[in-house]
Amino acid sequence: MPPNLRGSLPKSLSRPLDSGVFYCPSCSTWRRTISTRRKTYRPSTGTSTSGIIPRGRNGELNTQRHQFTTSSAINAGKNVPPRFKELYAALNRVGDVATDRVNLSRLQLALRGLESEEPLVRVAVLGLNDTNAARRLVRLLLSDPLSSREDWEDMLEGYEADISRGLLIRHGEECQSIPNNLLPTISIPSQLLKKANMEILVSSLGTEADSSASQFTADTFLVPTVTIRTSHSGRHNVVRYPVHKSIVCGSGVEDLVSYSGLIARSDLKREKNSVYGAIGMEVSDKEKRNDRFAFVDIKQAEDALNKFRESVQNASLYERGWNSSGVQPVVDWLASMRESGESLDPSLKTLILSLLDAAEEGVLAKEARKAQELQAAGVSEEVRAELDRSVGLWAERAHSELRSSLEEGFASNRWRGLAWWKLFLRVDDVSMLTSEILERRYLQGAEKEVIWTAGQLQQAGLMDNPEHFELSELKEGEQQALVEQTSPLVPWPVQISTSRTRLLNTTVPALQALAQRLVLFSMSTTTLTTALSGLTYFSFPTASVYETCTLAAVGLVYSLRRQQTKWERAREFWEDEVREEGRTALRSTEEQLRTLVQEGGRPAIEGTEDEARESIEQARKAVEDMDVKSTDP
């Protein structure tokens, strides 16, 4: 049947805790906020408030006041060992900045573990649907075969209270119960609990729901829930009890199928080695176990334990039955928690790294959610892609226009009429003709189309603040030219008009001045050499006319050649400059339009997760430093 995890479903936590009960983080118990009078337990009372009353071997009730003593109790103070202080502070910061992205109960468990040199390890033994198999397995794990049957074994077997309340087992020098504890708790003199500094929670894991398509996480197994009852209100509240590791216990084929379905639909990630399965079935030896699962024969193990307690002569029978029952691998898995030379306890390290992974995943999920919200609030990517294609078509047409229009302008009769030998008659027309080319042939169509394209961008919502780009993309000289020559800011790119204005204001006057200088130089040089030739003719009567005119001819040829060379070179340079300036203006305009298409219309991001990321990285570094210290000789 499809599994239902009562210990992890959100609906089990829908009702808040009663105001009269709070969870004590230092001693791992629940306490009342109102004072209660101590009750005296009499033999005639059938049950206690805890559901467990220890009995002596003669069956009499133990009515003495019990003091819970355990060497593994967590100190209530915040005396963090010096080697853990950095990691402790880093985890606290992660809890402060990523409260909604980490399991706070597990975070508190990790922080309490860092408050001790040898942290207390919590293990949950969760029975599928009921706790019968779980209680029997726990008895086998904690019992001492060298001693006779103890009181706590009878108490554990006879515990028939509500399985959702759970049962907490700790180490103690004597077998005791805490009757006033809202979570039923007993202490037993178990060597396994003492050596591993461990406590065990016995509870159940329901498998009778209808959520067959659910996806489970590590919290399903490592954050079981228990039900507590408040005496003054009679209400039942559900609280979380986080653990470091879990053993899921069941019996029969049905529980095996349920467990397999749970594991198949669970994403344990780093916690995959923190969950162990123990199913009571008789199978062949070669299929009995691996590092995460074991088949156990609880009845066979109980028979072997009972035979050994009857007589030590049954040691061989006990060894054979115990080893073939499959319980020993579970014991080894529990005992292996402390078999590590690392500075940080392996169970605690896995818990901390799992919390950091969850916090980091939460940060990434929140950032992705913000990105989706921003994308939904802005312009869709389809509209942006269509506008980007429109910008590309505009750029293609603009470059074609620049090439064809300028070629037509430079090949026109009016421009060719400014040949070097016509400068003497048309030197005053240079500025007029060059200005005409710039005003009529320089990207007139492209400038009109860019206004239309900018209108499309503004209509799509990509230019909510159109004034933010007009001058910011231009050079300082271009900005000054635009301010001097144009009217107030306009809501479209102005690189084309700015480049035209710059050409009109800088290159046209320079070309006009060059033409005038060349004409003046040619006329003055020719006049001077002609005068010198006449003076020579009259000064030297023997000189012929042809000889004296040589000077005038040399001056005329030199001045005309110089005018021809410099003017033709200047015209070619100006033509190339106009073309390059047009290409630069088009590239700048296209880049600006594409930037608006990609970046425009996006809402501003309010707040980032940088602080959470930094806190998580600091915590990871602190864990790595602990590993480095443990490997140093």
Side-chain angles (χ1 to χ4, degrees):
M1 64 180 63
N4 171 29
L5 303 184
R6 183 184 61 253
S8 63
L9 293 180
K11 64 183 180 181
S12 65
L13 301 177
S14 59
R15 186 167 56 191
L17 286 174
D18 190 273
S19 59
V21 181
F22 74 97
Y23 182 76
C24 179
S26 59
C27 62
S28 310
T29 60
W30 288 268
R31 300 186 181 278
R32 302 179 189 274
T33 58
I34 61 175
S35 60
T36 57
R37 300 179 63 182
R38 191 178 63 183
K39 299 181 180 180
T40 303
Y41 293 89
R42 298 181 172 84
S44 60
T45 304
T47 58
S48 69
T49 57
S50 66
I52 297 178
I53 299 180
R55 298 176 179 267
R57 294 176 183 262
N58 56 0
E60 294 182 355
L61 294 176
N62 188 353
T63 60
Q64 63 179 353
R65 184 174 182 268
H66 301 291
Q67 293 291 338
F68 175 74
T69 58
T70 173
S71 60
S72 61
I74 300 177
N75 190 357
K78 302 298 182 182
N79 298 323
V80 182
R83 61 194 183 104
F84 293 151
K85 284 186 177 180
E86 182 182 356
L87 180 56
Y88 188 89
L91 280 182
N92 266 322
R93 287 193 296 270
V94 171
D96 293 338
V97 301
T99 305
D100 57 337
R101 295 180 284 278
V102 295
N103 189 311
L104 294 182
S105 60
R106 300 196 71 200
L107 179 62
Q108 291 298 322
L109 178 64
L111 291 174
R112 286 196 297 273
L114 294 175
E115 294 172 7
S116 173
E117 288 286 351
E118 295 184 2
L120 177 69
V121 178
R122 292 178 180 174
V123 179
V125 181
L126 307 176
L128 293 174
N129 292 325
D130 59 53
T131 60
N132 182 44
R135 287 186 287 109
R136 295 173 65 187
L137 178 62
V138 170
R139 172 179 172 267
L140 293 173
L141 295 176
L142 302 181
S143 60
D144 185 3
L146 298 178
S147 63
S148 58
R149 187 181 180 92
E150 301 184 55
D151 295 341
W152 66 266
E153 298 181 47
D154 297 330
M155 294 160 53
L156 186 61
E157 279 191 356
Y159 179 62
E160 298 294 343
D162 183 6
I163 60 175
S164 63
R165 294 192 63 193
L167 174 65
L168 185 63
I169 304 176
R170 293 175 170 175
H171 173 265
E173 297 300 330
E174 299 178 0
C175 175
Q176 299 177 355
S177 69
I178 305 178
N180 284 335
N181 197 328
L182 296 178
L183 176 66
T185 305
I186 62 174
S187 63
I188 64 174
S190 170
Q191 292 300 315
L192 178 63
L193 297 180
K194 181 178 180 180
K195 291 180 180 179
N197 194 20
M198 179 174 57
E199 66 181 16
I200 294 179
L201 173 68
V202 182
S203 186
S204 61
L205 195 65
T207 60
E208 64 277 357
D210 52 356
S211 55
S212 59
S214 300
Q215 182 72 22
F216 304 116
T217 63
D219 290 356
T220 300
F221 305 95
L222 299 177
V223 190
T225 59
V226 294
T227 302
I228 62 174
R229 183 175 63 244
T230 57
S231 59
H232 63 281
S233 65
R235 296 173 56 186
H236 288 76
N237 299 313
V238 178
V239 295
R240 300 184 180 189
Y241 197 88
V243 297
H244 296 88
K245 294 181 179 292
S246 287
I247 299 176
V248 181
C249 185
S251 60
V253 177
E254 184 177 350
D255 286 348
L256 176 62
V257 173
S258 299
Y259 175 76
S260 301
L262 292 178
I263 294 298
R265 301 204 314 272
S266 298
D267 186 13
L268 299 180
K269 298 179 181 177
R270 198 183 289 271
E271 298 281 6
K272 62 181 180 180
N273 293 325
S274 300
V275 179
Y276 195 90
I279 303 298
M281 287 185 62
E282 296 182 5
V283 294
S284 59
D285 292 340
K286 63 180 180 180
E287 300 175 350
K288 244 179 195 184
R289 60 161 294 186
N290 57 32
D291 56 346
R292 295 180 56 193
F293 181 82
F295 286 106
V296 295
D297 190 340
I298 297 179
K299 182 65 169 62
Q300 184 179 7
E302 289 176 339
D303 293 341
L305 178 62
N306 293 333
K307 287 184 179 296
F308 187 77
R309 283 178 169 176
E310 291 174 1
S311 173
V312 293
Q313 296 179 355
N314 297 328
S316 58
L317 295 176
Y318 165 75
E319 182 179 1
R320 232 179 1 256
W322 182 266
N323 291 333
S324 60
S325 67
V327 176
Q328 187 59 38
V330 185
V331 178
D332 296 338
W333 182 77
L334 289 175
S336 65
M337 296 181 184
R338 297 289 184 181
E339 296 178 358
S340 175
E342 298 182 4
S343 176
L344 191 63
D345 184 88
S347 301
L348 185 58
K349 178 182 177 181
T350 302
L351 172 60
I352 292 174
L353 293 178
S354 177
L355 288 171
L356 296 180
D357 291 343
E360 190 170 7
E361 290 179 3
V363 169
L364 295 176
K366 188 172 182 179
E367 290 180 342
R369 186 167 59 254
K370 283 185 177 179
Q372 292 178 355
E373 292 175 356
L374 292 177
Q375 182 178 357
V379 182
S380 66
E381 293 300 325
E382 292 77 9
V383 175
R384 293 181 186 273
E386 182 64 27
L387 292 175
D388 189 73
R389 286 192 292 270
S390 299
V391 172
L393 294 175
W394 168 85
E396 183 179 354
R397 291 194 299 267
H399 282 282
S400 300
E401 179 191 354
L402 176 67
R403 182 175 58 254
S404 59
S405 297
L406 290 182
E407 289 299 331
E408 292 178 4
F410 295 145
S412 63
N413 293 330
R414 294 174 64 82
W415 176 250
R416 285 187 300 176
L418 289 179
W420 66 272
W421 51 274
K422 293 185 178 181
L423 282 181
F424 298 102
L425 301 177
R426 308 191 61 180
V427 66
D428 294 332
D429 297 339
V430 171
S431 60
M432 180 188 67
L433 295 177
T434 52
S435 299
E436 181 181 351
I437 291 176
L438 292 176
E439 292 174 353
R440 296 185 179 182
R441 301 287 183 176
Y442 186 78
L443 298 175
Q444 290 295 321
E447 186 176 10
K448 295 177 181 179
E449 288 187 13
V450 78
I451 297 175
W452 169 261
T453 304
Q456 288 182 311
L457 299 184
Q458 188 169 7
Q459 183 180 14
L462 302 179
M463 296 171 60
D464 295 335
N465 184 20
E467 291 81 9
H468 78 282
F469 64 86
E470 279 114 19
L471 294 178
S472 59
E473 304 288 339
L474 306 178
K475 299 179 181 178
E476 183 178 355
E478 296 175 349
Q479 293 181 17
Q480 184 64 27
L482 179 64
V483 171
E484 294 177 356
Q485 298 296 327
T486 62
S487 56
L489 300 177
V490 289
W492 59 78
V494 293
Q495 285 87 344
I496 296 177
S497 60
T498 303
S499 62
R500 183 188 299 112
T501 302
R502 193 188 69 82
L503 290 172
L504 289 172
N505 292 339
T506 57
T507 62
V508 171
L511 192 63
Q512 174 71 44
L514 176 62
Q516 291 175 346
R517 287 198 303 272
L518 291 176
V519 170
L520 179 61
F521 181 85
S522 298
M523 294 183 65
S524 60
T525 301
T526 302
T527 302
L528 182 61
T529 53
T530 301
L532 185 59
S533 296
L535 183 60
T536 302
Y537 178 76
F538 290 107
S539 300
F540 299 96
T542 59
S544 64
V545 175
Y546 297 102
E547 291 175 348
T548 55
C549 287
T550 301
L551 293 175
V554 171
L556 177 63
V557 171
Y558 171 75
S559 62
L560 293 180
R561 177 60 181 170
R562 181 177 179 274
Q563 178 175 325
Q564 178 186 11
T565 302
K566 288 185 174 293
W567 179 246
E568 294 299 333
R569 188 181 301 168
R571 285 213 315 172
E572 293 177 359
F573 179 81
W574 188 78
E575 292 176 2
D576 293 339
E577 186 177 9
V578 171
R579 292 190 183 96
E580 185 61 29
E581 189 70 21
R583 285 192 288 268
T584 301
L586 290 179
R587 284 197 301 269
S588 178
T589 303
E590 182 182 3
E591 290 176 1
Q592 186 172 349
L593 290 176
R594 291 190 185 278
T595 301
L596 285 173
V597 170
Q598 298 299 327
E599 305 295 337
R602 298 188 186 274
I605 300 178
E606 298 180 358
T608 61
E609 300 298 315
D610 294 340
E611 184 179 1
R613 287 181 179 276
E614 183 179 357
S615 300
I616 294 172
E617 290 301 324
Q618 290 176 354
R620 289 191 186 278
K621 186 177 183 302
V623 175
E624 293 175 359
D625 292 343
M626 296 292 298
D627 294 338
V628 172
K629 291 178 182 178
S630 64
T631 57
D632 290 342

